[in-house]
Amino acid sequence: MARRASFQAREDSRTGVYCFEQRPTQLGKAHLAAFRENRRAWAYFQQETPWYRRTSSFWVLSAKREDTQRKRLVILIACSANGERVPPLRRSSPGAT
């Protein structure tokens, strides 16, 4: 009961104020245009799970410098064209050290 009352008493002005709630998770128009040029990469990216699309997009957009964002986008497109995830989001195989 207390949780429900607390939830109902929340203020809209205090919603979405934390950094994890504000982080960008969708590529911009220029990034998408470059990505869609490579049909194979785009098809792979679209069939990936939503968490991967959000997280890999954030990985690209979280770079502070534009040139780093471009480098990461190139890596994302190349990995997608090869049917694999970007290195920071790859799962290691069991038993690997």
Side-chain angles (χ1 to χ4, degrees):
M1 292 289 175
R3 290 182 199 163
R4 183 172 292 159
S6 177
F7 179 77
Q8 291 172 343
R10 76 190 184 287
E11 298 174 26
D12 288 339
S13 64
R14 303 219 9 125
T15 301
V17 295
Y18 299 103
C19 62
F20 71 88
E21 295 174 314
Q22 297 176 10
R23 70 184 199 183
T25 58
Q26 292 187 357
L27 298 171
K29 290 180 183 181
H31 291 130
L32 286 174
F35 209 150
R36 287 183 175 142
E37 285 180 13
N38 187 324
R39 290 184 179 198
R40 186 176 190 184
W42 183 247
Y44 172 81
F45 187 73
Q46 290 300 297
Q47 64 90 29
E48 266 291 353
T49 58
W51 80 265
Y52 177 76
R53 291 192 306 265
R54 280 190 309 270
T55 308
S56 60
S57 296
F58 176 70
W59 175 69
V60 170
L61 299 172
S62 67
K64 293 179 183 170
R65 294 174 40 184
E66 253 185 70
D67 62 324
T68 306
Q69 285 185 7
R70 282 193 300 273
K71 288 177 189 177
R72 289 182 180 183
L73 181 64
V74 167
I75 292 170
L76 176 60
I77 292 170
C79 288
S80 296
N82 291 328
E84 53 190 29
R85 292 182 172 170
V86 291
L89 298 177
R90 290 184 190 154
R91 293 186 178 154
S92 60
S93 58
T97 53

